[in-house]
Amino acid sequence: QVQLVESGGGLVQPGGSLTLSCAASGDRLDRYSVGWFRQAPGKAREAIICISKFSATAAKGRFFSSRNIAKNTVSLQVRNLESEDTAVYYCAAQQSPACSLQETSYGDWGQGTQVTVSS
């Protein structure tokens, strides 16, 4: 089991970029595949991107995720932010080597960090 803490959220202007961090304790995060999810107000939580335990990076459209093994973290960079990106962002970890976008695949979750995109 690994404990996860997200950070880096805040208020960002449309068109800007943001980097979120998912810090792990209790185990090495490079032993886990990590998924990023978000939940907008009034909506169900949705998957964004996942990074396999054997991968150093993952990219999907405006989203880029990477590992920092020395810091035991995984980051999520989001470019060209839009108001629709306003949400609470979560990271989650699973020990399977497969990269999954299914919430039910993950047993360890962070508490989330709020991202608000507004001018």
Side-chain angles (χ1 to χ4, degrees):
Q1 190 173 10
V2 64
Q3 292 76 48
L4 305 173
V5 177
E6 303 93 337
S7 62
L11 177 63
V12 187
Q13 290 190 342
S17 299
L18 193 67
T19 298
L20 306 178
S21 180
C22 175
S25 61
D27 203 351
R28 288 171 47 183
L29 198 51
D30 60 344
R31 293 177 175 169
Y32 297 78
S33 296
V34 176
W36 284 95
F37 298 79
R38 68 183 181 184
Q39 186 166 20
K43 295 187 177 181
R45 189 155 55 186
E46 64 175 356
I48 302 170
I49 194 171
C50 57
I51 181 168
S52 165
K53 66 189 294 183
F54 297 126
S55 298
T57 62
K60 183 180 179 182
R62 299 182 293 114
F63 302 94
F64 178 78
S65 185
S66 61
R67 295 184 183 275
N68 186 321
I69 294 176
K71 293 185 178 180
N72 208 25
T73 61
V74 170
S75 65
L76 175 69
Q77 298 175 29
V78 187
R79 296 180 290 108
N80 196 21
L81 283 156
E82 307 165 350
S83 58
E84 291 76 17
D85 293 316
T86 294
V88 178
Y89 284 69
Y90 301 88
C91 63
Q94 57 152 339
Q95 291 186 303
S96 168
C99 185
S100 173
L101 293 177
Q102 300 295 322
E103 286 187 47
T104 54
S105 298
Y106 295 90
D108 299 308
W109 289 79
Q111 83 291 344
T113 185
Q114 175 71 48
V115 173
T116 302
V117 183
S118 175
S119 55

